[in-house]
Amino acid sequence: MEARAESKRQVLRFRGRSYVAFVFSPVVPIAGWLEEIDVTLARSPGFFVGKPIVLDLSGVDLSQAAIAHLVASLAERGIRVLGIEGASPELITPAMPPLLTGGRVCTVEQSEPADQPPPKSVEMPQPKSLLLETPVRSGQSIVFADGDVTVLGSVGSGAEIVAGGSIHIYGTLRGRAMAGVNGNSAARIYCQKIEAELLAIDGYYRTAEDINESLRHRPIQAWLDGNIMKISPLN
Amino acid sequence: MAKVLVVTSGKGGVGKTTSTAALGAALAQAGGKVVVVDFDVGLRNLDLIMGAERRVVFDLINVTQGVAKLQQALIRDKRLENLWLLPASQTRDKDALTDDGVRRVIADLRTKFDWVICDSPAGIERGAMLAMRYADEAVIVTNPEVSSVRDSDRIIGMLDSKTVKAEKGEQVKKHVLITRYDSSRAARGEMLSIDDILEILATPLLGIIPESQDVLRASNVGAPVTLSNAASAPARAYTDAARRLMGESIAMSVPTERVSFMNRLLGRRAA
């Protein structure tokens, strides 16, 4: 038998992912603010466990030593700081958490302890989908990271659809379809007739050359089975 | 009501200028007052096709910049008295066109003509964008081959997004004109079929112009093909297309001598 080293091709994949972080905005006096944290911790000890915490220091004017002390004080309470926001870069030493920028406000649903009954009228989350009633022409790029995209017409050669969720095309897909771009490996691609240039789900892709010739011009669905993109006819 | 019509394609060499001249002459022959406007600044050709190259004094750029009056730049056709040409400048480039200047010239032409036909340059840059910017209707000239069809698709997307009508939430009325159609090659499957093209572009068909030596002959003598040889196959196809633009409904056919094929085409394959 031949002993030959199999050279495996490494595939490097980059994926964006976002997390909701709690932002602490300390106020002076810091000692008093830490007491407030202690009160919260006494009520629900596990509240901050495993949660990313960001320190927003824009409201206070602290020295380098004071920032170090604050981070250490939080660490004593079992709170690890992911990053610091709103401080000038020269105050941050390599030993401290990194400086972050570009944070956006979002609402966080808190699950309070059982003594508060949950509010009765739970708002149903809006179904997140985008419906396009006209053909998508060559050169157009439709990007919808929040959910599914449905196209009633065709997607032209040289056009692309990028969706956070699944993609449904009720015409011919001649361009590119990229589903599950935010790391959603359960996303799928459906089309009425496939002449696609490229299909991608969660970063795994197939070009026209890799799509079985017997599938062309047929209605198909594509999904991920582990690391492999499967394409099967719908009829 | 004046209609502003842009003849566009994205791809070069598909027959925009030939079609502009032929449709312009056919509409003028039908009695409309027509001006054909060359937007291909720096690479003008429409004056040659119209046979007016020796009479150009002022041009579109002069008018947009206020150097010349519109009346001074318009050239009347020698064969049809209600057909006019507004030539492009050969010494400038597309950057000399301004949105504001084009808007003023088009608005001015609307008051004087029934049809303002804008001959777009190839590409999707400034010249092509300004040629379509103020259009009410568009003729998308397409050859039966994949690159031309894809470029046309791109242009249709731009007509639906970059024109004044689109920005107001209205639609530019679009027509596909298939040119250089070779019936014998299509019959052998060497060209995209009419059905394939229309399926990809999802836009109504205005006409099918057969590939013909008459087109070349017409441009060599500096006459729109509809004037140089009105009985020729391409001239009849253009005349039918012009009548469809005027709102008449005429059965679609490829004017050709080969009746057997025509019948086959008319009895379209069920897709």
Side-chain angles (χ1 to χ4, degrees):
Chain A
M1 244 180 84
E2 254 185 313
R4 201 164 40 156
E6 282 281 314
S7 66
K8 257 198 179 160
R9 217 181 84 210
Q10 290 288 324
V11 182
L12 196 58
R13 295 166 62 228
F14 294 97
R15 280 190 280 172
R17 196 162 288 183
S18 58
Y19 298 89
V20 174
F22 281 107
V23 176
F24 283 179
S25 305
V27 287
V28 283
I30 296 293
W33 181 78
L34 284 170
E35 272 172 33
E36 285 295 314
I37 296 278
D38 287 335
V39 171
T40 311
L41 282 174
R43 207 174 40 180
S44 37
F47 197 83
F48 298 116
V49 171
K51 302 259 168 66
I53 306 287
V54 171
L55 264 185
D56 180 3
L57 300 179
S58 54
V60 287
D61 191 12
L62 298 179
S63 67
Q64 198 172 60
I67 295 174
H69 178 70
L70 178 60
V71 172
S73 306
L74 289 168
E76 275 170 30
R77 289 163 174 82
I79 298 170
R80 294 194 60 193
V81 178
L82 173 79
I84 295 176
E85 198 180 37
S88 78
E90 59 266 24
L91 290 175
I92 306 299
T93 65
M96 290 182 193
L99 198 60
L100 298 178
T101 53
R104 278 180 301 175
V105 177
C106 69
T107 53
V108 178
E109 285 174 37
Q110 293 199 13
S111 57
E112 286 290 306
D115 51 293
Q116 281 174 312
K120 276 280 183 288
S121 60
V122 180
E123 249 186 69
M124 288 300 287
Q126 281 289 311
K128 291 195 170 157
S129 63
L130 175 70
L131 173 66
L132 301 167
E133 297 193 64
T134 50
V136 181
R137 302 289 183 179
S138 181
Q140 291 180 328
S141 178
I142 308 293
V143 181
F144 185 71
D146 295 333
D148 291 10
V149 175
T150 306
V151 185
L152 291 185
S154 295
V155 177
S157 164
E160 65 181 22
I161 309 280
V162 180
S166 297
I167 297 173
H168 311 258
I169 296 161
Y170 288 91
T172 307
L173 170 58
R174 299 187 180 88
R176 303 163 154 231
M178 287 167 253
V181 289
N182 292 333
N184 178 5
S185 57
R188 293 187 177 203
I189 299 169
Y190 305 87
C191 71
Q192 202 54 246
K193 191 173 172 190
I194 184 164
E195 291 168 30
E197 291 164 349
L198 181 135
L199 297 177
I201 300 173
D202 185 21
Y204 294 96
Y205 64 85
R206 280 217 210 177
T207 57
E209 288 211 326
D210 308 326
I211 297 170
N212 198 323
E213 196 58 36
S214 65
L215 292 169
R216 290 189 83 78
H217 314 299
R218 293 174 72 178
I220 59 104
Q221 68 162 328
W223 75 98
L224 274 190
D225 181 9
N227 299 346
I228 297 163
M229 183 188 289
K230 295 276 181 77
I231 304 173
S232 70
L234 288 171
N235 64 353
Chain B
M1 257 291 276
K3 264 190 195 158
V4 178
L5 182 77
V6 60
V7 179
T8 184
S9 70
K11 195 177 186 314
V14 294
K16 285 181 295 299
T17 303
T18 302
S19 298
T20 302
L23 289 174
L27 288 167
Q29 273 178 316
K33 193 176 178 198
V34 180
V35 60
V36 288
V37 186
D38 194 347
F39 271 82
D40 205 347
V41 180
L43 293 168
R44 73 170 186 220
N45 284 151
L46 189 56
D47 55 328
L48 291 170
I49 305 290
M50 298 287 291
E53 73 278 7
R54 285 142 60 110
R55 294 193 287 146
V56 175
V57 183
F58 295 108
D59 56 52
L60 176 64
I61 298 297
N62 295 145
V63 180
T64 59
Q65 293 180 340
V67 176
K69 292 203 182 71
L70 185 57
Q71 301 296 4
Q72 294 175 292
L74 285 169
I75 302 168
R76 181 179 236 157
D77 190 82
K78 283 185 169 166
R79 296 148 293 209
L80 288 171
E81 62 164 19
N82 50 348
L83 177 61
W84 300 72
L85 165 71
L86 181 54
S89 168
Q90 184 69 357
T91 54
R92 310 294 292 271
D93 61 37
K94 270 79 171 175
D95 294 335
L97 283 171
T98 60
D99 191 336
D100 194 50
V102 172
R103 183 181 53 75
R104 274 187 284 112
V105 170
I106 298 284
D108 208 353
L109 290 171
R110 269 183 200 275
T111 65
K112 296 179 170 67
F113 293 92
D114 301 319
W115 292 92
V116 179
I117 307 181
C118 304
D119 180 23
S120 172
I124 52 170
E125 286 79 23
R126 189 181 187 83
M129 288 297 107
L130 286 173
M132 69 167 67
R133 180 113 185 101
Y134 297 94
D136 304 313
E137 297 192 21
V139 171
I140 299 116
V141 181
T142 305
N143 288 170
E145 47 103 13
V146 282
S147 56
S148 173
V149 173
R150 182 161 76 182
D151 291 359
S152 295
D153 195 42
R154 176 98 217 248
I155 282 291
I156 293 171
M158 298 188 134
L159 286 164
D160 286 338
S161 60
K162 302 281 165 82
T163 52
V164 169
K165 273 209 149 196
E167 285 168 9
K168 284 197 290 190
E170 297 167 31
Q171 278 244 323
V172 173
K173 193 173 174 191
K174 300 176 291 286
H175 315 267
V176 169
L177 182 69
I178 297 171
T179 56
R180 310 198 67 166
Y181 186 78
D182 186 328
S183 21
S184 55
R185 284 187 60 205
R188 291 197 300 271
E190 293 171 6
M191 273 183 167
L192 277 180
S193 75
I194 303 289
D195 287 343
D196 286 345
I197 297 169
L198 296 181
E199 202 219 310
I200 292 172
L201 297 180
T203 301
L205 180 63
L206 180 69
I208 305 162
I209 313 298
E211 171 86 354
S212 166
Q213 288 299 312
D214 290 311
V215 174
L216 187 63
R217 236 173 269 136
S219 69
N220 282 339
V221 299
V225 68
T226 35
L227 292 184
S228 73
N229 183 359
S232 66
R236 281 182 287 138
Y238 275 119
T239 305
D240 282 358
R243 288 171 64 191
R244 289 186 195 106
L245 277 177
M246 293 187 293
E248 290 179 42
S249 80
I250 296 164
M252 192 64 66
S253 65
V254 188
T256 168
E257 311 309 316
R258 299 169 61 172
V259 181
S260 63
F261 175 72
M262 219 172 102
N263 288 343
R264 194 156 17 131
L265 189 92
L266 288 171
R268 292 263 185 86
R269 288 179 288 122

